[in-house]
Amino acid sequence: DSRFVSLYAFYPKRLSIERGDVVRWHFGSLVHEDHTVSMPDPQLFFRLEFDEFSCDPDGDEGAGPDTPPESDPQSGEPVCPEGSTLETDVSHEFWGGTGNGVLSGLNDVEHSGIAGVQAEHLAPPANPDKSFDVRFGARSGNRPFKYFCFLHPMDATVAVD
């Protein structure tokens, strides 16, 4: 990121390391865009429940309680009673990150949370030094571990020997 351009890619695109090594991603120079580092598998990651739908009868400023939505019988989509607004409340694990800092295999999840200039105004940074560290505790085998940005079409891999 700079004053004039934002690059939507991780560099390097493929990293090779030894089992037990730590990789650090830096967010400190982001000027315009927020990003995440989320791993290892988007399919597994998207099954996590980072948000919850609710029906808001009186807007965010109103005192009325939010209620769970009903399920549309034909589409299965969440619907609210007339006069209520369907909204999504994003959990702390999405904003602030989740995981223990050690990727132990394909069924593990490590997520930096949202990091960058705009994210600092929405929630306190999970890591004040604006970096995200992951120790790779498992070998990747024939397929390197994939990581991606939850907010943008960016991905890269880490091959662990």
Side-chain angles (χ1 to χ4, degrees), residues 28-114:
S29 63
L30 296 176
V31 175
H32 299 289
E33 297 295 331
D34 293 333
H35 295 289
T36 75
V37 172
S38 307
M39 62 183 73
D41 178 4
Q43 299 305 318
L44 171 69
F45 200 84
F46 286 115
R47 287 194 301 259
L48 297 176
E49 294 187 23
F50 284 125
D51 55 17
E52 185 175 285
F53 290 109
S54 62
C55 297
D56 189 343
D58 54 8
D60 289 337
E61 302 302 319
D66 292 353
T67 58
E70 299 291 323
S71 183
D72 182 276
Q74 291 180 331
S75 69
E77 297 291 319
V79 292
C80 292
E82 191 169 330
S84 284
T85 303
L86 182 67
E87 63 183 22
T88 301
D89 294 323
V90 180
S91 74
H92 171 74
E93 285 80 17
F94 182 75
W95 284 106
T98 190
N100 64 1
V102 178
L103 187 70
S104 60
L106 288 174
N107 291 322
D108 192 6
V109 171
E110 295 297 324
H111 171 60
S112 65
I114 298 176

Side-chain angles (χ1 to χ4, degrees), residues 112-156:
S112 65
I114 298 176
V117 177
Q118 298 169 50
E120 290 179 15
H121 301 290
L122 300 172
N127 188 345
D129 72 358
K130 299 181 183 180
S131 64
F132 178 61
D133 293 353
V134 174
R135 183 170 56 83
F136 287 80
R139 290 185 171 84
S140 58
N142 294 334
R143 284 186 25 197
F145 294 117
K146 184 176 186 178
Y147 64 94
F148 62 100
C149 176
F150 200 90
L151 304 173
H152 300 103
M154 303 166 34
D155 62 19

